[in-house]
Amino acid sequence: MISSLKQSTAAFGVADFVRSKSPAPKPELAILPSMSAVKNPNFSISSRKRLSLASSEGFGLGSRDGFLSAVKPRGLEAFGFKREAYEADKSENVEISYGETRSAAAQKVKIGIYFATWWALNVVFNIYNKKVLNAFPYPWFTSTLSLATGSIMMLISWATRIAEAPKTDFDFWKALFPVAVAHTIGHVAATVSMSKVAVSFTHIIKSGEPAFSVLVSRFLLGETFPLPVYLSLVPIIGGCALAAVTELNFNMTGFMGAMISNLAFVFRNIFSKRGMKGKSVSGMNYYACLSLLSLFILIPFAVAIEGPQMWAAGWEKALSQIGPQFVWWIAAQSIFYHLYNQVSYMSLDEISPLTFSIGNTMKRISVIVSSIIIFHTPVQPINALGAAIAILGTFFYSQGSCLDYW
């Protein structure tokens, strides 16, 4: 025991001697290792090596005289580990939050690209559609040809594996049927309207679609909206009415066609969103199936109302007046019709029917302006004021809808 104490004392440095003013440790301290070992086997005490004070950050055990030291526990590093773990959790949360922000921003960009493409394709379609209807005033035929072209394009895409064919069943087609009926009515009604009046007037009237969307959602579906949404309907309806009253080339058939198209497309959008829930069909394939079903619904009505004889006579007349480029107009009108609707349904796959109606209405601004410029449509100041009021109401409507969404 004495020799052990001598060895221990000899191991002390000068600094240890100055720091320690207490007498040499008593022999009873020899039992401490076994006691500490019982409490924590990871702690150890040595009398042969230089001793140092324990850090308060490490584990909070030490002796003022420097005789006791503790080795940091293996594995978890006590409170130091907890602090590092907390900091790691904090950085992990920051990374998750940053990732969510980037994902939300990417989603907004994706929807923005959809909307911009949708609007551009729609402008091109409306220009060629009006050119065709001016030379070939048979809206039921052009409506049928548009649906047929899109259906053929998608059938070829599925056959060549460019696009994956959808997996559908009887329930899918059953749920799609009311959507196809509404789509067919809206498509034909809009085409009939454009065959009778200017493109700009048709789209000014169709800018009232949010009003139909709110009324249908409120009274048929039981949905409610904030007060700003209801107030925004006043300028929308008032602007459309002012534009209609002051239209130079007003035509009741064209006006009613646009109104019927509004109502039909609101039902189409609502039914589409409901039909897409729980279905493993993308927006692109959904619209392709919709075109096929609408085509089968429309063909018998188109044949009964117009018929092949009228189409043949009108085709010969258009070719004699326009020339071979008339065929290009027909092809462009049909192809761009399918493309713009396809992109719009890809957008509808990501957003609500209400937001879809907003985007559809804002799209009309570009269509109205471009058609006035290209076709040199005469516009009175009061007519332009009505269109501006309706569009401003649409803006207020979109703001109120955002409040309801959030």
Side-chain angles (χ1 to χ4, degrees), residues 35-69:
M35 292 175 63
S36 62
V38 172
K39 293 182 179 180
N40 190 342
N42 290 326
F43 288 94
S44 63
I45 299 178
S46 172
S47 63
R48 298 182 179 273
K49 296 181 182 180
R50 182 178 176 181
L51 303 178
S52 59
L53 287 174
S55 169
S56 60
E57 289 183 356
F59 30 80
L61 178 63
S63 171
R64 289 180 177 272
D65 55 13
F67 283 94
L68 300 179
S69 69

PDB file of all heavy atoms in Angstrom, residues 35-69:
ATOM      1  N   MET A  35     -16.693   0.716  -6.616  1.00  0.00           N
ATOM      2  CA  MET A  35     -18.002   1.355  -6.478  1.00  0.00           C
ATOM      3  C   MET A  35     -18.424   2.015  -7.794  1.00  0.00           C
ATOM      4  O   MET A  35     -19.551   1.862  -8.225  1.00  0.00           O
ATOM      5  CB  MET A  35     -17.956   2.411  -5.366  1.00  0.00           C
ATOM      6  CG  MET A  35     -17.784   1.806  -3.970  1.00  0.00           C
ATOM      7  SD  MET A  35     -17.593   3.090  -2.737  1.00  0.00           S
ATOM      8  CE  MET A  35     -19.158   3.900  -2.877  1.00  0.00           C
ATOM      9  N   SER A  36     -17.499   2.751  -8.411  1.00  0.00           N
ATOM     10  CA  SER A  36     -17.838   3.402  -9.674  1.00  0.00           C
ATOM     11  C   SER A  36     -18.075   2.397 -10.771  1.00  0.00           C
ATOM     12  O   SER A  36     -18.874   2.600 -11.661  1.00  0.00           O
ATOM     13  CB  SER A  36     -16.740   4.382 -10.102  1.00  0.00           C
ATOM     14  OG  SER A  36     -15.547   3.659 -10.294  1.00  0.00           O
ATOM     15  N   ALA A  37     -17.367   1.308 -10.663  1.00  0.00           N
ATOM     16  CA  ALA A  37     -17.564   0.269 -11.677  1.00  0.00           C
ATOM     17  C   ALA A  37     -18.955  -0.302 -11.600  1.00  0.00           C
ATOM     18  O   ALA A  37     -19.552  -0.663 -12.591  1.00  0.00           O
ATOM     19  CB  ALA A  37     -16.514  -0.838 -11.507  1.00  0.00           C
ATOM     20  N   VAL A  38     -19.461  -0.371 -10.338  1.00  0.00           N
ATOM     21  CA  VAL A  38     -20.816  -0.896 -10.184  1.00  0.00           C
ATOM     22  C   VAL A  38     -21.816   0.078 -10.772  1.00  0.00           C
ATOM     23  O   VAL A  38     -22.761  -0.289 -11.432  1.00  0.00           O
ATOM     24  CB  VAL A  38     -21.115  -1.158  -8.705  1.00  0.00           C
ATOM     25  CG1 VAL A  38     -22.590  -1.506  -8.508  1.00  0.00           C
ATOM     26  CG2 VAL A  38     -20.229  -2.273  -8.188  1.00  0.00           C
ATOM     27  N   LYS A  39     -21.567   1.422 -10.510  1.00  0.00           N
ATOM     28  CA  LYS A  39     -22.515   2.423 -10.991  1.00  0.00           C
ATOM     29  C   LYS A  39     -22.424   2.624 -12.497  1.00  0.00           C
ATOM     30  O   LYS A  39     -23.418   2.763 -13.165  1.00  0.00           O
ATOM     31  CB  LYS A  39     -22.274   3.749 -10.270  1.00  0.00           C
ATOM     32  CG  LYS A  39     -22.601   3.674  -8.793  1.00  0.00           C
ATOM     33  CD  LYS A  39     -22.389   5.038  -8.125  1.00  0.00           C
ATOM     34  CE  LYS A  39     -22.734   4.976  -6.636  1.00  0.00           C
ATOM     35  NZ  LYS A  39     -22.540   6.253  -5.950  1.00  0.00           N
ATOM     36  N   ASN A  40     -21.199   2.671 -12.970  1.00  0.00           N
ATOM     37  CA  ASN A  40     -21.020   2.869 -14.421  1.00  0.00           C
ATOM     38  C   ASN A  40     -19.739   2.194 -14.852  1.00  0.00           C
ATOM     39  O   ASN A  40     -18.661   2.704 -14.594  1.00  0.00           O
ATOM     40  CB  ASN A  40     -20.957   4.361 -14.732  1.00  0.00           C
ATOM     41  CG  ASN A  40     -21.029   4.598 -16.229  1.00  0.00           C
ATOM     42  OD1 ASN A  40     -20.795   3.687 -17.015  1.00  0.00           O
ATOM     43  ND2 ASN A  40     -21.356   5.825 -16.616  1.00  0.00           N
ATOM     44  N   PRO A  41     -19.830   1.122 -15.480  1.00  0.00           N
ATOM     45  CA  PRO A  41     -18.626   0.362 -15.869  1.00  0.00           C
ATOM     46  C   PRO A  41     -17.776   1.106 -16.876  1.00  0.00           C
ATOM     47  O   PRO A  41     -16.651   0.748 -17.107  1.00  0.00           O
ATOM     48  CB  PRO A  41     -19.189  -0.933 -16.460  1.00  0.00           C
ATOM     49  CG  PRO A  41     -20.561  -0.578 -16.909  1.00  0.00           C
ATOM     50  CD  PRO A  41     -21.058   0.440 -15.952  1.00  0.00           C
ATOM     51  N   ASN A  42     -18.269   2.144 -17.492  1.00  0.00           N
ATOM     52  CA  ASN A  42     -17.500   2.879 -18.484  1.00  0.00           C
ATOM     53  C   ASN A  42     -16.575   3.919 -17.851  1.00  0.00           C
ATOM     54  O   ASN A  42     -15.774   4.515 -18.529  1.00  0.00           O
ATOM     55  CB  ASN A  42     -18.443   3.580 -19.458  1.00  0.00           C
ATOM     56  CG  ASN A  42     -19.144   2.578 -20.339  1.00  0.00           C
ATOM     57  OD1 ASN A  42     -18.553   1.568 -20.681  1.00  0.00           O
ATOM     58  ND2 ASN A  42     -20.399   2.854 -20.668  1.00  0.00           N
ATOM     59  N   PHE A  43     -16.742   4.175 -16.572  1.00  0.00           N
ATOM     60  CA  PHE A  43     -15.838   5.085 -15.874  1.00  0.00           C
ATOM     61  C   PHE A  43     -14.687   4.275 -15.292  1.00  0.00           C
ATOM     62  O   PHE A  43     -14.847   3.151 -14.836  1.00  0.00           O
ATOM     63  CB  PHE A  43     -16.569   5.810 -14.744  1.00  0.00           C
ATOM     64  CG  PHE A  43     -17.530   6.831 -15.214  1.00  0.00           C
ATOM     65  CD1 PHE A  43     -18.862   6.508 -15.395  1.00  0.00           C
ATOM     66  CD2 PHE A  43     -17.115   8.121 -15.501  1.00  0.00           C
ATOM     67  CE1 PHE A  43     -19.745   7.450 -15.844  1.00  0.00           C
ATOM     68  CE2 PHE A  43     -18.005   9.068 -15.946  1.00  0.00           C
ATOM     69  CZ  PHE A  43     -19.321   8.729 -16.112  1.00  0.00           C
ATOM     70  N   SER A  44     -13.483   4.894 -15.245  1.00  0.00           N
ATOM     71  CA  SER A  44     -12.323   4.190 -14.674  1.00  0.00           C
ATOM     72  C   SER A  44     -11.446   5.185 -13.923  1.00  0.00           C
ATOM     73  O   SER A  44     -11.434   6.383 -14.238  1.00  0.00           O
ATOM     74  CB  SER A  44     -11.510   3.507 -15.775  1.00  0.00           C
ATOM     75  OG  SER A  44     -10.994   4.481 -16.655  1.00  0.00           O
ATOM     76  N   ILE A  45     -10.755   4.719 -12.912  1.00  0.00           N
ATOM     77  CA  ILE A  45      -9.820   5.534 -12.112  1.00  0.00           C
ATOM     78  C   ILE A  45      -8.466   4.853 -12.130  1.00  0.00           C
ATOM     79  O   ILE A  45      -8.357   3.661 -11.927  1.00  0.00           O
ATOM     80  CB  ILE A  45     -10.312   5.688 -10.663  1.00  0.00           C
ATOM     81  CG1 ILE A  45     -11.671   6.392 -10.678  1.00  0.00           C
ATOM     82  CG2 ILE A  45      -9.301   6.432  -9.818  1.00  0.00           C
ATOM     83  CD1 ILE A  45     -12.278   6.554  -9.319  1.00  0.00           C
ATOM     84  N   SER A  46      -7.441   5.630 -12.386  1.00  0.00           N
ATOM     85  CA  SER A  46      -6.096   5.061 -12.445  1.00  0.00           C
ATOM     86  C   SER A  46      -5.209   5.814 -11.477  1.00  0.00           C
ATOM     87  O   SER A  46      -5.283   7.031 -11.355  1.00  0.00           O
ATOM     88  CB  SER A  46      -5.546   5.184 -13.868  1.00  0.00           C
ATOM     89  OG  SER A  46      -4.196   4.797 -13.877  1.00  0.00           O
ATOM     90  N   SER A  47      -4.363   5.075 -10.764  1.00  0.00           N
ATOM     91  CA  SER A  47      -3.388   5.692  -9.859  1.00  0.00           C
ATOM     92  C   SER A  47      -2.002   5.692 -10.462  1.00  0.00           C
ATOM     93  O   SER A  47      -1.057   6.142  -9.859  1.00  0.00           O
ATOM     94  CB  SER A  47      -3.373   4.934  -8.522  1.00  0.00           C
ATOM     95  OG  SER A  47      -2.954   3.607  -8.746  1.00  0.00           O
ATOM     96  N   ARG A  48      -1.876   5.138 -11.697  1.00  0.00           N
ATOM     97  CA  ARG A  48      -0.571   5.043 -12.314  1.00  0.00           C
ATOM     98  C   ARG A  48      -0.347   6.095 -13.376  1.00  0.00           C
ATOM     99  O   ARG A  48       0.762   6.297 -13.802  1.00  0.00           O
ATOM    100  CB  ARG A  48      -0.382   3.648 -12.939  1.00  0.00           C
ATOM    101  CG  ARG A  48      -0.429   2.544 -11.909  1.00  0.00           C
ATOM    102  CD  ARG A  48      -0.198   1.194 -12.555  1.00  0.00           C
ATOM    103  NE  ARG A  48      -0.222   0.146 -11.577  1.00  0.00           N
ATOM    104  CZ  ARG A  48       0.833  -0.241 -10.873  1.00  0.00           C
ATOM    105  NH1 ARG A  48       2.004   0.357 -11.041  1.00  0.00           N
ATOM    106  NH2 ARG A  48       0.740  -1.216  -9.986  1.00  0.00           N
ATOM    107  N   LYS A  49      -1.408   6.748 -13.868  1.00  0.00           N
ATOM    108  CA  LYS A  49      -1.263   7.712 -14.923  1.00  0.00           C
ATOM    109  C   LYS A  49      -1.608   9.083 -14.412  1.00  0.00           C
ATOM    110  O   LYS A  49      -2.294   9.239 -13.422  1.00  0.00           O
ATOM    111  CB  LYS A  49      -2.188   7.357 -16.101  1.00  0.00           C
ATOM    112  CG  LYS A  49      -1.812   6.034 -16.745  1.00  0.00           C
ATOM    113  CD  LYS A  49      -2.727   5.742 -17.892  1.00  0.00           C
ATOM    114  CE  LYS A  49      -2.383   4.402 -18.516  1.00  0.00           C
ATOM    115  NZ  LYS A  49      -3.261   4.085 -19.639  1.00  0.00           N
ATOM    116  N   ARG A  50      -1.146  10.078 -15.126  1.00  0.00           N
ATOM    117  CA  ARG A  50      -1.422  11.439 -14.733  1.00  0.00           C
ATOM    118  C   ARG A  50      -2.922  11.685 -14.767  1.00  0.00           C
ATOM    119  O   ARG A  50      -3.588  11.332 -15.723  1.00  0.00           O
ATOM    120  CB  ARG A  50      -0.734  12.404 -15.702  1.00  0.00           C
ATOM    121  CG  ARG A  50      -0.955  13.844 -15.309  1.00  0.00           C
ATOM    122  CD  ARG A  50      -0.213  14.727 -16.259  1.00  0.00           C
ATOM    123  NE  ARG A  50      -0.497  16.130 -15.945  1.00  0.00           N
ATOM    124  CZ  ARG A  50      -0.002  17.153 -16.618  1.00  0.00           C
ATOM    125  NH1 ARG A  50       0.788  16.924 -17.643  1.00  0.00           N
ATOM    126  NH2 ARG A  50      -0.299  18.385 -16.259  1.00  0.00           N
ATOM    127  N   LEU A  51      -3.414  12.299 -13.719  1.00  0.00           N
ATOM    128  CA  LEU A  51      -4.838  12.547 -13.598  1.00  0.00           C
ATOM    129  C   LEU A  51      -5.152  13.960 -14.038  1.00  0.00           C
ATOM    130  O   LEU A  51      -4.348  14.863 -13.864  1.00  0.00           O
ATOM    131  CB  LEU A  51      -5.288  12.339 -12.153  1.00  0.00           C
ATOM    132  CG  LEU A  51      -4.976  10.951 -11.592  1.00  0.00           C
ATOM    133  CD1 LEU A  51      -5.409  10.858 -10.145  1.00  0.00           C
ATOM    134  CD2 LEU A  51      -5.644   9.885 -12.414  1.00  0.00           C
ATOM    135  N   SER A  52      -6.349  14.150 -14.570  1.00  0.00           N
ATOM    136  CA  SER A  52      -6.757  15.481 -15.003  1.00  0.00           C
ATOM    137  C   SER A  52      -8.204  15.693 -14.629  1.00  0.00           C
ATOM    138  O   SER A  52      -8.942  14.742 -14.418  1.00  0.00           O
ATOM    139  CB  SER A  52      -6.591  15.640 -16.516  1.00  0.00           C
ATOM    140  OG  SER A  52      -7.378  14.673 -17.169  1.00  0.00           O
ATOM    141  N   LEU A  53      -8.594  16.956 -14.533  1.00  0.00           N
ATOM    142  CA  LEU A  53      -9.968  17.293 -14.174  1.00  0.00           C
ATOM    143  C   LEU A  53     -10.912  16.932 -15.307  1.00  0.00           C
ATOM    144  O   LEU A  53     -10.583  17.104 -16.469  1.00  0.00           O
ATOM    145  CB  LEU A  53     -10.076  18.790 -13.872  1.00  0.00           C
ATOM    146  CG  LEU A  53      -9.444  19.229 -12.546  1.00  0.00           C
ATOM    147  CD1 LEU A  53      -9.500  20.736 -12.444  1.00  0.00           C
ATOM    148  CD2 LEU A  53     -10.157  18.601 -11.352  1.00  0.00           C
ATOM    149  N   ALA A  54     -12.075  16.509 -14.938  1.00  0.00           N
ATOM    150  CA  ALA A  54     -13.094  16.178 -15.936  1.00  0.00           C
ATOM    151  C   ALA A  54     -13.739  17.454 -16.434  1.00  0.00           C
ATOM    152  O   ALA A  54     -13.942  18.388 -15.677  1.00  0.00           O
ATOM    153  CB  ALA A  54     -14.154  15.262 -15.321  1.00  0.00           C
ATOM    154  N   SER A  55     -14.055  17.483 -17.700  1.00  0.00           N
ATOM    155  CA  SER A  55     -14.728  18.638 -18.282  1.00  0.00           C
ATOM    156  C   SER A  55     -16.198  18.622 -17.918  1.00  0.00           C
ATOM    157  O   SER A  55     -16.843  17.584 -17.964  1.00  0.00           O
ATOM    158  CB  SER A  55     -14.573  18.617 -19.806  1.00  0.00           C
ATOM    159  OG  SER A  55     -15.402  19.565 -20.399  1.00  0.00           O
ATOM    160  N   SER A  56     -16.730  19.779 -17.582  1.00  0.00           N
ATOM    161  CA  SER A  56     -18.145  19.854 -17.218  1.00  0.00           C
ATOM    162  C   SER A  56     -19.032  19.567 -18.415  1.00  0.00           C
ATOM    163  O   SER A  56     -20.162  19.160 -18.265  1.00  0.00           O
ATOM    164  CB  SER A  56     -18.475  21.248 -16.673  1.00  0.00           C
ATOM    165  OG  SER A  56     -18.200  22.219 -17.673  1.00  0.00           O
ATOM    166  N   GLU A  57     -18.518  19.775 -19.641  1.00  0.00           N
ATOM    167  CA  GLU A  57     -19.313  19.457 -20.820  1.00  0.00           C
ATOM    168  C   GLU A  57     -19.401  17.961 -21.030  1.00  0.00           C
ATOM    169  O   GLU A  57     -20.368  17.453 -21.566  1.00  0.00           O
ATOM    170  CB  GLU A  57     -18.711  20.096 -22.073  1.00  0.00           C
ATOM    171  CG  GLU A  57     -18.869  21.574 -22.127  1.00  0.00           C
ATOM    172  CD  GLU A  57     -18.326  22.124 -23.418  1.00  0.00           C
ATOM    173  OE1 GLU A  57     -17.786  21.342 -24.197  1.00  0.00           O
ATOM    174  OE2 GLU A  57     -18.473  23.339 -23.640  1.00  0.00           O
ATOM    175  N   GLY A  58     -18.352  17.250 -20.585  1.00  0.00           N
ATOM    176  CA  GLY A  58     -18.312  15.825 -20.890  1.00  0.00           C
ATOM    177  C   GLY A  58     -19.284  15.019 -20.081  1.00  0.00           C
ATOM    178  O   GLY A  58     -20.143  14.376 -20.614  1.00  0.00           O
ATOM    179  N   PHE A  59     -19.154  15.059 -18.760  1.00  0.00           N
ATOM    180  CA  PHE A  59     -20.049  14.191 -17.989  1.00  0.00           C
ATOM    181  C   PHE A  59     -20.245  14.692 -16.577  1.00  0.00           C
ATOM    182  O   PHE A  59     -20.838  14.011 -15.773  1.00  0.00           O
ATOM    183  CB  PHE A  59     -19.524  12.757 -17.948  1.00  0.00           C
ATOM    184  CG  PHE A  59     -18.037  12.681 -18.022  1.00  0.00           C
ATOM    185  CD1 PHE A  59     -17.245  12.899 -16.922  1.00  0.00           C
ATOM    186  CD2 PHE A  59     -17.430  12.407 -19.238  1.00  0.00           C
ATOM    187  CE1 PHE A  59     -15.873  12.818 -17.027  1.00  0.00           C
ATOM    188  CE2 PHE A  59     -16.055  12.338 -19.322  1.00  0.00           C
ATOM    189  CZ  PHE A  59     -15.272  12.547 -18.227  1.00  0.00           C
ATOM    190  N   GLY A  60     -19.719  15.855 -16.170  1.00  0.00           N
ATOM    191  CA  GLY A  60     -20.072  16.456 -14.893  1.00  0.00           C
ATOM    192  C   GLY A  60     -19.519  15.747 -13.683  1.00  0.00           C
ATOM    193  O   GLY A  60     -20.053  15.907 -12.583  1.00  0.00           O
ATOM    194  N   LEU A  61     -18.475  14.939 -13.781  1.00  0.00           N
ATOM    195  CA  LEU A  61     -17.890  14.263 -12.623  1.00  0.00           C
ATOM    196  C   LEU A  61     -16.417  14.612 -12.560  1.00  0.00           C
ATOM    197  O   LEU A  61     -15.703  14.485 -13.522  1.00  0.00           O
ATOM    198  CB  LEU A  61     -18.057  12.745 -12.766  1.00  0.00           C
ATOM    199  CG  LEU A  61     -17.443  11.911 -11.645  1.00  0.00           C
ATOM    200  CD1 LEU A  61     -18.120  12.208 -10.319  1.00  0.00           C
ATOM    201  CD2 LEU A  61     -17.539  10.431 -11.984  1.00  0.00           C
ATOM    202  N   GLY A  62     -15.938  15.100 -11.407  1.00  0.00           N
ATOM    203  CA  GLY A  62     -14.522  15.436 -11.273  1.00  0.00           C
ATOM    204  C   GLY A  62     -14.169  15.746  -9.838  1.00  0.00           C
ATOM    205  O   GLY A  62     -15.013  15.807  -8.952  1.00  0.00           O
ATOM    206  N   SER A  63     -12.923  15.972  -9.591  1.00  0.00           N
ATOM    207  CA  SER A  63     -12.456  16.284  -8.240  1.00  0.00           C
ATOM    208  C   SER A  63     -11.631  17.544  -8.297  1.00  0.00           C
ATOM    209  O   SER A  63     -10.865  17.757  -9.224  1.00  0.00           O
ATOM    210  CB  SER A  63     -11.629  15.115  -7.704  1.00  0.00           C
ATOM    211  OG  SER A  63     -11.014  15.491  -6.495  1.00  0.00           O
ATOM    212  N   ARG A  64     -11.813  18.421  -7.303  1.00  0.00           N
ATOM    213  CA  ARG A  64     -11.094  19.674  -7.264  1.00  0.00           C
ATOM    214  C   ARG A  64      -9.597  19.462  -7.095  1.00  0.00           C
ATOM    215  O   ARG A  64      -8.807  20.281  -7.519  1.00  0.00           O
ATOM    216  CB  ARG A  64     -11.606  20.537  -6.113  1.00  0.00           C
ATOM    217  CG  ARG A  64     -13.004  21.086  -6.359  1.00  0.00           C
ATOM    218  CD  ARG A  64     -13.433  21.928  -5.174  1.00  0.00           C
ATOM    219  NE  ARG A  64     -14.733  22.509  -5.413  1.00  0.00           N
ATOM    220  CZ  ARG A  64     -14.932  23.666  -6.023  1.00  0.00           C
ATOM    221  NH1 ARG A  64     -13.905  24.357  -6.466  1.00  0.00           N
ATOM    222  NH2 ARG A  64     -16.151  24.133  -6.204  1.00  0.00           N
ATOM    223  N   ASP A  65      -9.212  18.408  -6.435  1.00  0.00           N
ATOM    224  CA  ASP A  65      -7.774  18.206  -6.204  1.00  0.00           C
ATOM    225  C   ASP A  65      -7.102  17.492  -7.350  1.00  0.00           C
ATOM    226  O   ASP A  65      -5.902  17.236  -7.299  1.00  0.00           O
ATOM    227  CB  ASP A  65      -7.550  17.435  -4.901  1.00  0.00           C
ATOM    228  CG  ASP A  65      -8.309  16.126  -4.886  1.00  0.00           C
ATOM    229  OD1 ASP A  65      -8.775  15.736  -5.980  1.00  0.00           O
ATOM    230  OD2 ASP A  65      -8.428  15.508  -3.821  1.00  0.00           O
ATOM    231  N   GLY A  66      -7.860  17.101  -8.357  1.00  0.00           N
ATOM    232  CA  GLY A  66      -7.243  16.514  -9.548  1.00  0.00           C
ATOM    233  C   GLY A  66      -6.909  15.066  -9.420  1.00  0.00           C
ATOM    234  O   GLY A  66      -6.249  14.520 -10.288  1.00  0.00           O
ATOM    235  N   PHE A  67      -7.324  14.411  -8.310  1.00  0.00           N
ATOM    236  CA  PHE A  67      -6.985  13.000  -8.162  1.00  0.00           C
ATOM    237  C   PHE A  67      -7.904  12.084  -8.938  1.00  0.00           C
ATOM    238  O   PHE A  67      -7.536  10.987  -9.243  1.00  0.00           O
ATOM    239  CB  PHE A  67      -7.036  12.616  -6.660  1.00  0.00           C
ATOM    240  CG  PHE A  67      -5.829  13.097  -5.926  1.00  0.00           C
ATOM    241  CD1 PHE A  67      -5.855  14.314  -5.274  1.00  0.00           C
ATOM    242  CD2 PHE A  67      -4.673  12.349  -5.911  1.00  0.00           C
ATOM    243  CE1 PHE A  67      -4.751  14.764  -4.601  1.00  0.00           C
ATOM    244  CE2 PHE A  67      -3.554  12.810  -5.224  1.00  0.00           C
ATOM    245  CZ  PHE A  67      -3.595  14.028  -4.569  1.00  0.00           C
ATOM    246  N   LEU A  68      -9.139  12.561  -9.193  1.00  0.00           N
ATOM    247  CA  LEU A  68     -10.089  11.697  -9.875  1.00  0.00           C
ATOM    248  C   LEU A  68     -10.277  12.166 -11.303  1.00  0.00           C
ATOM    249  O   LEU A  68     -10.366  13.361 -11.551  1.00  0.00           O
ATOM    250  CB  LEU A  68     -11.440  11.714  -9.151  1.00  0.00           C
ATOM    251  CG  LEU A  68     -11.413  11.231  -7.703  1.00  0.00           C
ATOM    252  CD1 LEU A  68     -12.813  11.333  -7.126  1.00  0.00           C
ATOM    253  CD2 LEU A  68     -10.912   9.811  -7.608  1.00  0.00           C
ATOM    254  N   SER A  69     -10.328  11.266 -12.190  1.00  0.00           N
ATOM    255  CA  SER A  69     -10.658  11.592 -13.579  1.00  0.00           C
ATOM    256  C   SER A  69     -11.578  10.519 -14.121  1.00  0.00           C
ATOM    257  O   SER A  69     -11.580   9.409 -13.639  1.00  0.00           O
ATOM    258  CB  SER A  69      -9.397  11.685 -14.444  1.00  0.00           C
ATOM    259  OG  SER A  69      -8.831  10.409 -14.607  1.00  0.00           O
TER     260      SER A  69
END
